[in-house]
Amino acid sequence: MINAPRTSVVLFTRDLRVHDNPALHHAAQEGQVVPLFVLDLKILKGSYNRPNRAKFLAESLADLAAALEKRGAGLVVRRGEVAAEVAELVQTVKASAVHMAGDASGFSHRREDALREALDELDCELHVHDDSLFVVPPGQITAVGKTHMSVFSPYHRKWEKEPRRTPLSPPRKLALPAGIETGKVPTANEISSGETAPHMSAGGETAGRKLFKTWLEQRAEGYADDHDDMAGDRTSRISPYLHFGCLSPLEVVTKAWDIAPAFTRQMAWRDFHAQVLAANPKSTQVDLRPRNDRWRRGKDAEREFKAWKEGRTGWPLVDACMRQLVDEGWMHNRGRLVVGHFLCKTLYLDWRWGAQFFVDHLIDGDTANNTMNWQWVAGTGTDSRFNRILSVSSQAERYDPNGDFVRRYVPELSDVPGAKVHAPWKLPTDVRKQLNYPEPIVDVREGNERFLAARGKR
């Protein structure tokens, strides 16, 4: 008697790739594979679902489907509640196991719990691969007597020494059970309608691997010296592909380890934020370390917030960064620090306002990184120097000394030469009137003093 082949469902979530995908790899080792992606109604109806990420997701799913088809299977697409859709498919194909990537957010943990409960009733195993989305998964590195580490430097030292597995090759062949209808890969408008950033990156594993390969060969060696050069734009720009799992963080770190250690340190920050969020799931809305802030409200606060969102604050570096975000669905990491400090500490506006605006536009709007970076900037998170203030003028002088970054994104100032572009209010009155550029909405010194007074430091 010939035993029927074992069938497993691979539930894709934020691991939209075939290279170094533990869930796909281990399922393929066991027998027939049913690759599944569920358009989660909870996400579709939530504040997280936005046009830029919808477009990137649709392109990533199309690329994944093509890669799976080349290997003998297609991507099964369903729409609904995840646990119910997976359970129904498990019954249809008589699957004995479901494989999926582990994640860090409270939402992902609730999804996993619901799925486990549904599969238990069907006597179907659930295998959660915690090493799919992180180099070092949350909970693997801890402080004595604690669930996580809250200071980055000692975490990073342990992270560097943590054993790493070898990246997994993609399966050469996949066997999909007969009679399974894959369904249609959704378009961007079917996920979220609305305008997208005019110059956003194309989604998918193919595009991500090509981008990373080019950066690794041409720019990685100079990363330590050049990654904060805003006009030079020498960052890898792979964060959207990491967010959607089009690239494996483990494979990225493995390839960059000996070439760009400063870059792998940034990858450690990603894991650090994930383990902080996993231990503090409410921190997406609640201060990790409250400072008794009374964030400004009212018409003046709303007017200034609107100017910040539109890149019309009168502070050129801030405005250039905000316009880059709206134009590309991405922002330089140095720029994120600058605009975050300006919002929270110079304008003294709630970090949650900024975090949500980033979620509205960033392709890489990762829950852990976005939340914990904003809390760090606001001084309510893991930054021990919670009264730290970045000077916009100093940041401009250091990281855009010739003003090329500002001129690229603020065309009103394109004719202002050199570093003068960073202080247009110092230009002659007749020149300023012709610029169609606003006066500063706040005196930075006064704003910073207001913030320090609110924090009890004045």
Side-chain angles (χ1 to χ4, degrees), residues 306-325:
K306 183 174 184 291
W308 180 83
K309 292 189 294 183
E310 294 176 351
R312 300 281 294 173
T313 68
W315 287 88
L317 183 61
V318 172
D319 293 343
C321 294
M322 295 305 294
R323 296 188 194 189
Q324 180 185 38
L325 171 62

Side-chain angles (χ1 to χ4, degrees), residues 345 379 383-389 451-452 455-457:
K345 293 179 175 175
D383 185 9
S384 59
R385 293 171 56 192
F386 58 89
N387 290 319
R388 180 199 311 259
I389 297 174
F451 163 75
L452 291 172
R455 288 272 170 99
K457 294 297 179 181

Side-chain angles (χ1 to χ4, degrees), residues 75-117:
L75 180 64
V76 177
V77 179
R78 298 291 184 262
R79 184 186 187 104
E81 196 277 319
V82 173
E85 293 298 326
V86 174
E88 181 178 337
L89 185 61
V90 163
Q91 291 176 293
T92 300
V93 301
K94 296 181 173 55
S96 57
V98 172
H99 293 259
M100 67 180 296
D103 211 336
S105 69
F107 178 88
S108 66
H109 291 163
R110 291 189 296 274
R111 177 180 60 196
E112 182 184 320
D113 291 341
L115 184 56
R116 191 179 304 279
E117 183 178 348

Side-chain angles (χ1 to χ4, degrees), residues 29-88:
Q29 297 288 99
E30 296 173 355
Q32 295 185 128
V33 174
V34 183
L36 170 67
F37 183 84
V38 179
L39 280 168
D40 191 331
L41 291 180
K42 292 180 181 178
I43 294 179
L44 293 179
K45 295 176 181 178
S47 62
Y48 182 78
N49 186 22
R50 290 294 183 266
N52 285 347
R53 280 191 302 281
K55 183 174 184 289
F56 197 93
L57 172 60
E59 292 171 351
S60 299
L61 290 173
D63 188 68
L64 174 63
L68 292 169
E69 287 170 3
K70 288 181 181 179
R71 290 164 171 80
L75 180 64
V76 177
V77 179
R78 298 291 184 262
R79 184 186 187 104
E81 196 277 319
V82 173
E85 293 298 326
V86 174
E88 181 178 337

